Amino acid sequence: VFPSLCVLITHPTEGALLYDTGYAPGFFAATQSFPERLYRWTTPATLPPSQSLEAQLGLRGLRLSDIRTCLISHFHADHIAGLRSLPAARFICMRDDFASLAGASRFGRLRRGFLSPLLPDDFEARVGFADGSPAQSLTGAWASLGKGYDLLGDGSLMAVPLPGHAPSQMGVCLEDAVGRAVLLCADAVWSRQAWQDLDLPAWPTRLVMHDWQDYRCTLLRLHELARHEPGVVILPSHCQESIEAYRAASGGRP
Ligand SMILES: [Zn+2]
């Protein structure tokens, strides 16, 4: 099982935010024809109706139009497939991740795991860059991660660059509803073993990394974070074990 995590964040004044969208029906439409169909062949995905963004938000009393902000970790299709279904959301990402897609050919984009039809037509008018404001030194449990960006201006969501898998990749540090420090780290690692044991991916997987040296440095930062701050919850987007452990500690639902 290789889940694709989408996180709902409820902020007292900013309302409902998402961190990534996971898969969505748009993914299957965008991979109908070649060459994009290759993407679906190499990473076969299923999306039961009960797992759709709309259904999962509905369980929490929310509609797709209630999402006011969507934080984009990076532009791989399994993280952004639902952007088109968020009519009222502004988007926040790291500048280099978006810039790396501009000017790339159709094949070049596909090779980087990006499917252009997934972006809303007015994406550029709705996007802002997390790193458009000055970086700040992170404090407390997050100090070892270096510098970050205050996404909402109140310190509640700090974006931190986790480069390697993608040019920049935006991780987010936050405190959850019961006071746990949580790092949403997207694809900086794919499993708990990776940061616990410094377990580097095998060679074929390295070929899909944007920058292997950056990937290793990011992995080392997560390893050090876990070692010095064992209370911090590190949540990768595709680690079933980590997601289930977090859910279990939250009484069944994060
Ligand atoms: Zn990815």
Side-chain angles (χ1 to χ4, degrees):
V1 177
F2 196 73
S4 196
L5 185 66
C6 167
V7 179
L8 171 66
I9 302 165
T10 308
H11 186 274
T13 57
E14 294 293 325
L17 302 89
L18 291 181
Y19 178 71
D20 289 342
T21 69
Y23 284 104
F27 171 79
F28 301 97
T31 52
Q32 276 290 351
S33 53
F34 285 96
E36 286 79 11
R37 198 168 183 90
L38 294 169
Y39 191 110
R40 207 197 305 182
W41 280 356
T42 51
T43 57
T46 56
L47 182 67
S50 64
Q51 300 263 304
S52 73
L53 196 50
E54 186 171 27
Q56 296 203 55
L57 286 174
L59 289 176
R60 292 153 175 83
L62 291 167
R63 294 164 302 174
L64 291 163
S65 57
D66 291 327
I67 303 300
R68 291 165 56 177
T69 304
C70 183
L71 311 174
I72 298 171
S73 67
H74 64 302
F75 284 86
H76 286 165
D78 51 333
H79 295 256
I80 63 158
L83 293 185
R84 274 185 177 273
S85 57
L86 303 174
R90 63 178 178 138
F91 307 115
I92 302 179
C93 67
M94 301 297 274
R95 188 183 297 275
D96 282 354
D97 287 332
F98 185 57
S100 72
L101 303 173
S105 68
R106 188 174 172 187
F107 278 97
R109 290 180 170 196
L110 182 63
R111 192 175 56 77
R112 293 177 209 176
F114 175 65
L115 301 170
S116 316
L118 297 179
L119 287 191
D121 298 337
D122 58 353
F123 183 82
E124 291 199 36
R126 294 162 66 185
V127 72
F129 299 112
D131 42 352
S133 58
Q136 306 174 14
S137 294
L138 294 165
T139 57
W142 308 118
S144 69
L145 289 176
K147 295 195 179 254
Y149 302 92
D150 188 352
L151 292 177
L152 300 180
D154 62 1
S156 62
L157 297 178
M158 297 299 292
V160 55
L162 300 172
H165 176 75
S168 190
Q169 188 173 231
M170 182 170 73
V172 171
C173 306
L174 57 89
E175 188 177 293
D176 74 3
V178 293
R180 287 172 298 189
V182 179
L183 171 63
L184 306 174
C185 74
D187 293 358
V189 288
W190 282 323
S191 72
R192 180 191 298 262
Q193 286 72 33
W195 77 77
Q196 280 181 344
D197 308 333
L198 283 180
D199 187 8
L200 291 164
W203 261 109
T205 316
R206 297 183 190 190
L207 298 176
V208 303
M209 298 299 176
H210 175 76
D211 186 304
W212 179 241
Q213 291 307 323
D214 281 354
Y215 182 89
R216 289 183 55 185
C217 287
T218 292
L219 179 61
L220 199 56
R221 286 162 68 211
L222 296 188
H223 178 75
E224 291 302 318
L225 172 68
R227 207 161 65 88
H228 293 295
E229 299 288 344
V232 164
V233 179
I234 299 175
L235 266 188
S237 291
H238 303 301
C239 178
Q240 182 81 349
E241 182 188 345
S242 301
I243 296 168
E244 282 182 359
Y246 183 72
R247 277 213 178 101
S250 312
R253 198 175 86 179

